[in-house]
C-alpha cells in the first residue's frame, strides 16, 4: 500500500513538474531573446527563424512556440486531473475534473442540442487553450491570442466545421441557401459566409491586444508621473515608482484575467452557435430517411433475387 502510495505521489510530482516546465521554458525564452527597449515597446510576435518551403517560407514565431508550450502544459494538466480516477469520486481532484466535464456537457447540450453532444471535448479544448493563452501574459510571456495569425487559424477551423455541417443537408441545398431569401442577395450572402471567420478572429485578437496595449501605456505613464513628481528627492527615493503600485495590478485583474477568460467563453459560444445554426436538421433527416429507404429496397431486392 505504501509503495503504491509513493508511486502515485511520484507520478503526481512528475505531472506537476511537466506542467510547470513548458511555462518556465517560455519565460526563459522571453528573457533570453527579447532585446532591451527604452520606454514603451509594443510589438507583435517576434520571428525566431524561418524554414524554407517550396511555395512560401514558414516563419517560426514567438506565438507559435508559446502556443505549443501552453498545449504541452495543458496536456499534462489533463493527465494530472485524470490520474487515479475511480468509479466512486473520492478526491477533490476527481470532483473538479468531473465538474468540468459536466458543465461542458451542459453548455454544449443547451446551445447545440443532443446531436452535438460529442462536441464537448472540442469546446472544452477551445476554452482551455484560449483562456490559458490569454492568461500567459501574467507570466511576462507573449500571449498567443495577441497574434492575429493564431486566432485566425482557430477561426478557419470553425469555418471548416460550419461548412461541413451545412453540407450535411446536401450540396444543392447548401448552394441554394446563398439565394435566400431572394436571389438578388446572393453576393451579400457569400460575403457574409466568409465574414464569419474574419469577425471571430478580429474580435478575439482585438480585445486581447487592446488590453495588453492599454496596460503597457498606463504602466509607462504612471512611471513617468512618479519620476516627474519625485525626481527632486535625492537618492533611490526619487526613482521609486510610487504611482505604479496598485493601479496596474487592478488593470491586470480585468484585462489579463476577466477579459481573457470572457473572450475565451465568447469564442467558444460563437463556435457552438455558428456550427449548430449551420446544421440543417430537417434536410439532414430527409436525406437519412431516403438513404434508409434506399437500403431497405436494396435489401428486399437482394432477398427476392
Amino acid at each position: 500500500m505504501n509503495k503504491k502510495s509513493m508511486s502515485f505521489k511520484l507520478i503526481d510530482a512528475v505531472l506537476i513538474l511537466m506542467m510547470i516546465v513548458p511555462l518556465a521554458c517560455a519565460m526563459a525564452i522571453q528573457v533570453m531573446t527579447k532585446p532591451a527597449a527604452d520606454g514603451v515597446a509594443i510589438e507583435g510576435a517576434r520571428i525566431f527563424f524561418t524554414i524554407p518551403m517550396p511555395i512560401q517560407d514558414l516563419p517560426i514565431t514567438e506565438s507559435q512556440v508559446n502556443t505549443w508550450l501552453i498545449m504541452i502544459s495543458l496536456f499534462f494538466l489533463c493527465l494530472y486531473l485524470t490520474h487515479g480516477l475511480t468509479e466512486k469520486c473520492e478526491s477533490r481532484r476527481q470532483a473538479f475534473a468531473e465538474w468540468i466535464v459536466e458543465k461542458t456537457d451542459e453548455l454544449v447540450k443547451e446551445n447545440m442540442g443532443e446531436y452535438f453532444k460529442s462536441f464537448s471535448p472540442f469546446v472544452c479544448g477551445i476554452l482551455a487553450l484560449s483562456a490559458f493563452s490569454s492568461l500567459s501574459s501574467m507570466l511576462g510571456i507573449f500571449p498567443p491570442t495577441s497574434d492575429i495569425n493564431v486566432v485566425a487559424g482557430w477561426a478557419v477551423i470553425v469555418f471548416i466545421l460550419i461548412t461541413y455541417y451545412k453540407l450535411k443537408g446536401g450540396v444543392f441545398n447548401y448552394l441554394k441557401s446563398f439565394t435566400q431569401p431572394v436571389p438578388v442577395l446572393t453576393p451579400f450572402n457569400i460575403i457574409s459566409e466568409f465574414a464569419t471567420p474574419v469577425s471571430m478572429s478580429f474580435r478575439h485578437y482585438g480585445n486581447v491586444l487592446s488590453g495588453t496595449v492599454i496596460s503597457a501605456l498606463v504602466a509607462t505613464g504612471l512611471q513617468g508621473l512618479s519620476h516627474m513628481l519625485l525626481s527632486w528627492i535625492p537618492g533611490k527615493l526619487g526613482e521609486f515608482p510610487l504611482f505604479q503600485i496598485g493601479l496596474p495590478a487592478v488593470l491586470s485583474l480585468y484585462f489579463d484575467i476577466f477579459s481573457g477568460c470572457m473572450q475565451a467563453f465568447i469564442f467558444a459560444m460563437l463556435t457552438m452557435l455558428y456550427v449548430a445554426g449551420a446544421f440543417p436538421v430537417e434536410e439532414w433527416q430527409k436525406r437519412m430517411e431516403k438513404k434508409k429507404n434506399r437500403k431497405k429496397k436494396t435489401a428486399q431486392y437482394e432477398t427476392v433475387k
Side-chain angles (χ1 to χ4, degrees):
M1 181 67 180
N2 290 333
K3 290 184 178 180
K4 288 183 179 181
S5 178
M6 287 298 296
S7 63
F8 186 88
K9 292 179 180 179
L10 180 62
I11 294 174
D12 269 359
V14 171
L15 293 176
I16 293 173
L17 180 65
M18 293 306 296
M19 280 189 281
I20 298 173
V21 167
L23 300 177
C25 289
M27 296 168 65
I29 293 171
Q30 177 79 3
V31 172
M32 292 187 296
T33 62
K34 188 173 183 178
D38 296 329
V40 183
I42 299 172
E43 54 187 13
R46 290 169 292 140
I47 299 176
F48 290 139
F49 57 91
T50 303
I51 301 176
M53 302 292 285
I55 300 177
Q56 183 178 358
D57 292 343
L58 176 64
I60 303 301
T61 66
E62 188 177 14
S63 57
Q64 291 172 320
V65 173
N66 289 346
T67 298
W68 276 100
L69 291 173
I70 290 170
M71 287 194 296
I72 293 171
S73 182
L74 284 173
F75 172 72
F76 284 102
L77 173 62
C78 293
L79 291 180
Y80 174 77
L81 290 176
T82 55
H83 180 223
L85 292 181
T86 57
E87 185 175 349
K88 183 181 179 181
C89 183
E90 298 178 347
S91 64
R92 294 181 181 179
R93 182 197 315 181
Q94 183 170 340
F96 181 64
E98 291 180 358
W99 179 82
I100 293 174
V101 173
E102 290 174 1
K103 292 301 179 182
T104 307
D105 287 343
E106 290 177 5
L107 189 67
V108 171
K109 187 176 180 181
E110 289 176 2
N111 293 280
M112 302 186 76
E114 191 68 27
Y115 178 82
F116 290 95
K117 60 183 179 180
S118 59
F119 253 69
S120 293
F122 178 74
V123 172
C124 188
I126 287 179
L127 276 168
L129 182 57
S130 178
F132 277 81
S133 295
S134 298
L135 293 174
S136 64
S137 63
M138 300 182 68
L139 300 176
I141 66 178
F142 183 84
T145 44
S146 290
D147 189 345
I148 185 64
N149 299 290
V150 172
V151 185
W154 301 350
V156 168
I157 294 174
V158 174
F159 176 71
I160 293 172
L161 287 171
I162 292 171
T163 306
Y164 169 76
Y165 280 100
K166 279 187 176 181
L167 289 171
K168 278 185 170 288
V171 177
F172 176 75
N173 290 319
Y174 173 67
L175 297 175
K176 184 181 177 182
S177 65
F178 289 107
T179 64
Q180 302 295 331
V182 290
V184 73
L185 294 178
T186 299
F188 297 99
N189 289 332
I190 294 174
I191 294 173
S192 176
E193 187 80 1
F194 290 98
T196 298
V198 176
S199 64
M200 289 184 68
S201 56
F202 273 98
R203 180 186 291 109
H204 198 328
Y205 153 78
N207 280 283
V208 175
L209 180 64
S210 63
T212 304
V213 172
I214 292 172
S215 296
L217 291 175
V218 170
T220 305
L222 292 174
Q223 182 181 11
L225 181 62
S226 298
H227 178 73
M228 182 178 66
L229 296 179
L230 302 178
S231 58
W232 59 273
I233 302 176
K236 293 293 183 180
L237 289 176
E239 301 176 3
F240 184 72
L242 177 64
F243 295 101
Q244 283 187 296
I245 300 174
L247 185 56
V250 174
L251 290 176
S252 178
L253 287 175
Y254 175 77
F255 289 116
D256 293 332
I257 300 178
F258 177 77
S259 182
C261 295
M262 179 60 69
Q263 292 307 316
F265 178 75
I266 291 173
F267 192 90
M269 284 294 296
L270 290 175
T271 298
M272 291 187 287
L273 295 176
Y274 281 139
V275 172
F279 181 50
V281 180
E282 294 181 0
E283 297 296 335
W284 177 77
Q285 289 175 344
K286 290 178 182 178
R287 292 189 69 196
M288 292 297 101
E289 191 66 28
K290 289 180 181 179
K291 191 174 182 180
K292 184 178 180 181
N293 293 334
R294 197 180 303 118
K295 286 184 178 180
K296 187 183 295 185
K297 289 180 181 179
T298 304
Q300 291 175 353
Y301 174 78
E302 292 294 333
T303 304
V304 172
K305 186 177 178 181

